[in-house]
Amino acid sequence: VGQTVELTIYAYDDNSMPRTQAEIRLDVAPNDAPSFQLSATEIGEGIYRTTFPTTIAGRYVVQANISNDRDQIEVQVQEEKM
């Protein structure tokens, strides 16, 4: 909690070629909290990056919409024990 998550998205077409200049939209749904939207910036051929702060502990479901395609991952955030 309170840390920044960095996501790197690798976008490829059906022929395994990098998808450049793709529109990447991310829907992030934290545990029992309202979801929010992000966009990603292209940092290389078919490579995109974005960040977001963790505000609560628990599961974050990230759904990526990449120029008409869709994929989903889950990120688990745990409180750091000192």
Side-chain angles (χ1 to χ4, degrees):
V1 177
Q3 300 293 317
T4 299
V5 173
E6 181 176 273
L7 295 175
T8 303
I9 300 107
Y10 297 87
Y12 295 93
D13 65 16
D14 292 336
N15 297 314
S16 299
M17 298 298 294
R19 292 181 72 167
T20 58
Q21 300 178 359
E23 180 183 334
I24 309 255
R25 293 183 331 267
L26 301 165
D27 294 316
V28 182
N31 245 11
D32 300 321
S35 64
F36 55 92
Q37 288 72 43
L38 299 170
S39 59
T41 303
E42 188 168 9
I43 59 168
E45 276 196 31
I47 304 170
Y48 300 81
R49 183 167 293 148
T50 192
T51 61
F52 67 89
T54 58
T55 55
I56 60 173
R59 185 179 74 157
Y60 287 67
V61 176
V62 180
Q63 189 172 67
N65 297 291
I66 305 169
S67 301
N68 299 328
D69 289 331
R70 175 176 273 180
D71 205 350
Q72 177 174 302
I73 64 167
E74 292 184 18
V75 177
Q76 185 71 31
V77 175
Q78 297 178 351
E79 291 198 46
E80 192 173 343
K81 296 178 181 171
M82 301 202 162

